[in-house]
């Protein structure tokens, strides 16, 4: 046994070890070697993941061996009288539970095991004789193991016993013996080693044999109520002991439900009465402390038993126990009041027991969550609260909050009233002090209010508590002004602690605050009054998070109606507030602050104190609201007729302009992100809706804001949703005017989620609205064409693609007409300077290009959709489900219908298209691309794009081919076709833009690796005017490539014209995405860094000069975009750009022999590059 490894878990070894234990049982009683072998066997059994099957005799032998080991203890050395006396005192002080059990004889089977296990141990110890040391055969003369070794032996023995319980072959008699072993070892003198293991063994036996469960329950109850058991050396062991006891009780009660009442009473006694004795013993043994986690474990068990008892026998069964909690609380609180001025030690003990009872009442009330239970216990807690608050009241307040958060209406009302009254009383009695400690009444009550605000689940209760908090804030703020200066700071701090409460309530309940007209008149006045007090106490100047959150959800400070008297009524309210407590000094300060904001528009002689207070409130509220990236609340100010016709209208408009400029600046500072673009789109859509407002002031301000927005964020011009709203709004307004429907006053704007505007009543004013909308649409489209002609054309064509059905062939649509008019006209020259990186026809934005590209898109989309609809029709006819063709949608192009025939046809169609596109790559590899027909190639690519856009689920394989094949063919015509298709796909499916750019990023890297186009490393041929040199044998008209790569036609690899198209496409994407796509900018930067990684090995042939200039100009535009945040990457790119620029001059000079048009374009790019270098030098 000793030579075998203790960690082995093989079944054969375990079987042999157990047989060895049984065979050497008698011999092992007399020698030390038996202990070693038993240790090995127990370790092997205890560590086994799967216990093998043993015979009953083997099990009995193992149990007998375990009993011998667990009852065996080597004798100790003789102790002096002093040590004996000390040990006797410790044993008597610690109680019988912790006395030694060495030498315990096996009790008779007639005697109940649970009568008195500790008494049996004491009697056996008294009757035991001292071992003789004279006999050489005595075990004492042999080599005795140390006590640590003895403890190490018993640990695996108990572990093995627990494993034995789980064996299917373990008989009932063995279970009883193991149960007896667990009970006996639970009374061992070293609880950290054996009490927990013994209890777990007894619990395991009780769970396997139901008759033992009742004995187990009696045993666990006695152990739980033994006050000496609580003395442990560490908290972890204490939790393990009581956790095992309580868990065993719950398992035993499941087998014997009739004992549930006794278990409830035992747990109640354990929680309430034992704390007193524990606290008394704590003064003797200072290491002990009542563990909160242990108390929580016992409370959870008691709540679980009470819930089961109520569910089984009704509320009447648990009513006496619940009533006893209230009586106990009354008694303990009375003792606490009596002892508050007497004995400190007794007061501490009473306070500890009182806290436990209060937590227990809160836990039971929350666990049962019954109105009857709450009606009994809640008044007991509330009646204990008194002003001034005492230390014990802190725990009561915490439990009251827990009960109120259950959602019961009556409990919520009582606790909410109590907390508000306590908060008010603390301030009134000047008890608001010492905010540095978390246990002071001020902080506890403030935290209770904050919990209410953050955890109330019912909407009606949140709204009610918001109004209670606003009234409390108003009352305390008024008290600030009426308090003398020395004491004003405390009241001011108490008011400040209410701001997080109001902020949390407003954040969680926004719908009730978004439209102030839906609230009651009293509530409107409450909001306005509360914000006035915030301004009067300078809370907005702190710019705290609570104030910003509160401002973002606060309703706008507008009059309740459109009558002129409504604004005068609001001024009367502000006048009352000013006179209630605002001093003349504070009024003068408000005037100075407002004068600094409004400047020349402010006239102190024309504005009264109420008007000054109102304007200051509006300014502080809205500038804080804008700080949270929201401007929508300023529009109701402009819509208020009574406000815009008051003396303060110009000041309000100035505040609106100031806030909008601040909004634009904050959005620009945020940087490009998806969240920012979504917020900008939402704001632009709201402005477009208000553009046709009936009030001229609203329309004028909105028009100015729209122009400012797309001047600061031009990407909104080619946003599909914004452009669609504008053109559809033009058609909607024109339709009302053309129909002469004077009775139509409310116009719903399409594609805005039901937003509407109220139209003017006069027909001429409506006609003016149509004219203004047309001018806005015309300016919008022209400005968009000036920024990106191809991008604007793609967005317009996608918009036109929605009008594809025959049912709409003769419908007059003003937005469609406006788009066609400006699209065919193209980008006018007077709008902006022509971009030198837009020389390819697909980027010029000409009218012919627009009409031709739109025709191509509609042709191939119609071809694919018609074919697929015919397949769907054939499927319907074959199934007999219909005789007509599928109906066409009026709103948007339909995706491919998911019929069986279409689903079977699509994969085959995609396979054919992919094979067709791959054939062009093979032709270029085999013959150098000379046999590729451009028209056939363009038709197949367009057809593949049409199929891709007609599918619901995008085929990544087809998308991969659309991105790679034009680059792999690498001709100018192929790249122009590819650019057209890429722009088409990204405009129609914006969600695919990132995937397309990732594929193009990889394709660009392929051109760099294969050294084609601008990356073809050739030697420049000698000038015809130069004198031939004998040694000059290198160079040729076509150049010599260092690496030929794949097979290309003659001169194709050195042709940089395809890269010109590719670079201008990237320049267009830079314009489109630099303000909205950080990921696109990262990919573009990486493409440029890879392209210029070898700046002296770029194509130096004369035909590549224009391509090189475009590449360098694109790199400078990325450098000057201000979007890229990586300074190291920018520094590296700038270095490579200058090296590539100077690298051109390292070659011999050459004469340009390109055509005149291309020469003119190259010169224009060169001039722009020089300007970019000058600008870079100034940075």
């Amino acid at each position: 046994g000793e030579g075998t490894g203790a960690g082995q878990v093989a079944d054969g070894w375990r079987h042999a070890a157990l047989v060895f234990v049984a065979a050497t049982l008698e011999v092992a009683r007399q020698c030390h070697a038996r202990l070693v072998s038993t240790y090995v066997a127990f370790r092997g059994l205890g560590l086994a993941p799967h216990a093998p099957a043993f015979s009953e005799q083997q099990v009995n032998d193992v149990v007998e061996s375990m009993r011998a080991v667990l009852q065996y203890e080597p004798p100790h050395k003789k102790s002096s009288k002093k040590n004996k006396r000390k040990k006797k005192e410790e044993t008597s002080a610690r109680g019988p539970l912790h006395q030694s059990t060495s030498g315990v004889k096996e009790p008779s089977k007639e005697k109940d095991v649970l009568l008195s296990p500790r008494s049996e141990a004491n009697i056996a110890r008294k009757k035991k004789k001292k071992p003789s040391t004279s006999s050489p055969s005595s075990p004492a003369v042999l080599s005795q193991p140390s006590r640590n070794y003895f403890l190490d032996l018993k640990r695996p023995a108990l572990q093995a016993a627990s494993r034995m319980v789980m064996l299917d072959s373990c008989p009932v008699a063995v279970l009883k013996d193991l149960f007896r072993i667990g009970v006996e070892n639970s009374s061992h003198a070293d609880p950290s080693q054996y009490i927990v293991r013994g209890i777990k063994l007894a619990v395991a036996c009780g769970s396997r044999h139901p008759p033992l469960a009742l004995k187990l329950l009696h045993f666990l109850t006695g152990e739980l109520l033994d006050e000496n058991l609580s003395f442990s050396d560490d908290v972890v062991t204490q939790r393990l002991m009581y956790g095992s006891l309580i868990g065993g009780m719950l398992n035993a009660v499941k087998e014997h439900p009739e004992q549930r009442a006794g278990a409830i009473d035992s747990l109640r006694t354990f929680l309430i009465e034992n704390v007193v004795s524990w606290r008394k013993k704590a003064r003797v043994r200072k290491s002990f402390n009542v563990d909160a986690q242990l108390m929580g474990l016992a409370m959870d068990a008691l709540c679980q038993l009470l819930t089961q008892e109520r569910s089984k026998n009704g509320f009447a069964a648990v009513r006496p126990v619940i009533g006893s909690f209230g009586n106990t609380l009354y008694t303990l609180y009375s003792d606490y009041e009596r002892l508050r001025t007497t004995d400190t030690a007794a007061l501490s003990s009473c306070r500890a027991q009182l806290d436990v009872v209060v937590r227990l009442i809160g836990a039971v009330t929350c666990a049962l969550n019954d109105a009857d239970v709450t009606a009994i216990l809640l008044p007991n807690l509330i009646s204990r609260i008194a002003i001034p608050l005492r230390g014990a009241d802190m725990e009561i307040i915490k439990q009251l909050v827990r009960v109120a958060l259950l959602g019961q209406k009556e409990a919520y009302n009582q606790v909410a009233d109590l907390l508000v009254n306590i908060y008010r009383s603390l301030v009134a009695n000047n008890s608001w002090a010492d905010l540095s400690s978390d246990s002071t009444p001020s902080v506890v009550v403030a935290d209770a209010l904050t919990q209410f605000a953050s955890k109330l689940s019912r909407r009606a209760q949140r709204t009610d508590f918001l109004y209670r908090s606003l009234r409390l804030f108003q009352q305390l703020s008024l008290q600030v002004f009426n308090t003398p200066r020395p004491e004003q700071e405390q009241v001011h701090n108490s008011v400040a602690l209410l701001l997080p409460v109001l902020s949390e309530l407003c954040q969680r309940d926004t719908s009730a605050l978004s439209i102030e007209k839906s609230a009651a008149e009293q509530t409107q006045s409450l909001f306005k009054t509360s914000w006035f007090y915030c301004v009067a106490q300078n809370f907005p100047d702190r710019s705290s998070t609570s104030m910003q959150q509160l401002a973002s959800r606060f309703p706008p400070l507008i009059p309740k109606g459109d009558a002129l008297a409504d604004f005068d009524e609001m001024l009367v309210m502000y006048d009352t507030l000013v006179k209630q407590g605002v001093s003349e000094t504070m009024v003068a300060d408000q005037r100075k602050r407002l004068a600094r904001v409004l400047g020349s528009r402010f006239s102190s002689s024309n504005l009264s104190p109420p008007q000054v207070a109102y304007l200051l409130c509006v300014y502080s509220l809205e500038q804080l609201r804008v700080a949270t990236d929201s401007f929508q609340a300023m529009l109701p100010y402009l819509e208020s007729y009574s406000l815009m016709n008051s003396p303060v209208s110009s000041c309000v408009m100035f505040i609106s302009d100031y806030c909008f400029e601040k909004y634009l600046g904050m959005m620009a500072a945020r940087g490009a992100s998806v969240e920012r673009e979504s917020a900008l789109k939402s704001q632009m859509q709201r402005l477009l809706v208000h553009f046709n407002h009936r009030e001229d002031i609203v329309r004028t301000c909105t028009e100015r804001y729209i122009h400012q927005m797309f001047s600061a964020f031009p990407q909104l011009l080619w946003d599909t949703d914004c452009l669609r709203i504008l053109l559809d709004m033009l058609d909607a307004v024109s339709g009302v005017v053309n129909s002469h429907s004077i009775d139509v006053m409310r116009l719903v704007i399409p594609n805005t989620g039901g937003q509407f505007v109220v139209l003017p009543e006069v027909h001429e004013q409506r006609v003016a609205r149509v004219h203004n909308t047309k001018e806005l649409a015309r300016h919008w489209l022209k400005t968009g064409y000036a920024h990106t002609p191809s991008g604007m054309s793609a967005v317009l064509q996608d918009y036109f693609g929605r009008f594809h059905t025959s049912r709409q062939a003769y419908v007059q649509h003003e937005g469609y007409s406006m788009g066609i008019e400006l699209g065919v006209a193209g980008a006018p020259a007077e709008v902006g300077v022509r971009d030198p990186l837009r020389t390819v026809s697909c980027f010029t934005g000409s009218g012919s290009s627009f009409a031709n590209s739109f025709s191509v898109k509609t042709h191939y989309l119609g071809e694919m959709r018609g074919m697929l609809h015919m397949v769907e029709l054939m499927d319907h006819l074959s199934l007999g489900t219909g005789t007509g063709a599928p109906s066409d949608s009026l709103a948007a192009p339909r995706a491919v219908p998911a019929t069986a025939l279409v689903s079977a046809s699509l994969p085959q169609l995609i396979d054919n298209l992919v094979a067709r596109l791959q054939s062009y790559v093979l032709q270029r590899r085999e013959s150098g691309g000379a046999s590729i027909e451009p028209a056939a190639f363009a038709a197949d690519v367009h057809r593949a794009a049409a199929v891709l856009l007609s599918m619901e689920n995008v085929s990544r394989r087809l998308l991969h081919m659309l991105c790679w094949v034009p680059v792999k063919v690498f001709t100018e015509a192929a790249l122009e076709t590819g650019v057209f298709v890429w722009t088409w796909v990204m405009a129609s499916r914006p969600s695919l833009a990132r995937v397309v750019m990732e594929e193009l990023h990889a394709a660009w890297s392929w051109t760099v690796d294969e050294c084609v186009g601008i990356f073809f490393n050739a030697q420049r041929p000698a000038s015809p005017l130069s004198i031939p040199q004998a040694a000059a044998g290198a160079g040729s008209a076509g150049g010599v490539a260092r690496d030929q790569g794949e097979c290309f036609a003659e001169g194709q690899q050195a042709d940089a014209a395809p890269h010109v198209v590719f670079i201008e496409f990237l320049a267009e994407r830079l314009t489109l995405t630099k303000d909205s796509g950080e990921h696109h900018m990262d990919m573009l930067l990486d493409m440029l860094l890879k392209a210029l990684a070898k700046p002296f090995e770029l194509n130096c042939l004369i035909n590549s000069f224009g391509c090189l200039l475009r590449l360098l100009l694109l790199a400078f535009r990325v450098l000057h975009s201000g979007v890229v945040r990586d300074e190291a990457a920018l520094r590296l790119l700038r270095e490579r750009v200058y090296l590539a620029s100077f690298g051109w001059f390292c070659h011999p000079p050459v004469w340009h022999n390109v055509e005149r048009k291309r020469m003119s374009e190259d010169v224009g790019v060169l001039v722009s590059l020089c300007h970019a270098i000058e600008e870079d030098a100034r940075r």
Side-chain angles (χ1 to χ4, degrees), residues 231-235 238 282 284-289:
F231 289 98
S232 174
D233 293 333
D234 60 315
V235 178
Q238 180 177 311
V284 179
R285 185 176 176 125
K286 298 182 179 179
S287 62
F288 171 74
N289 188 17

Side-chain angles (χ1 to χ4, degrees), residues 148 182 235 265 307 455 500 547 665 744 1035:
N148 291 335
V235 178
D265 186 67
T307 304
K455 296 182 180 180
M547 286 304 302
V744 178

Side-chain angles (χ1 to χ4, degrees), residues 310-322:
R310 184 194 60 176
S311 302
K312 183 69 176 178
N313 302 319
F315 176 72
V318 298
R319 185 185 182 94
V321 180
I322 294 175

Side-chain angles (χ1 to χ4, degrees), residues 732-754:
V733 177
S734 300
V736 174
V737 173
N738 295 333
S739 62
H740 297 277
S741 301
I742 303 298
D743 55 335
V744 178
M745 299 299 299
R746 177 177 295 186
L747 176 64
V748 178
I749 306 300
N751 304 315
T752 59

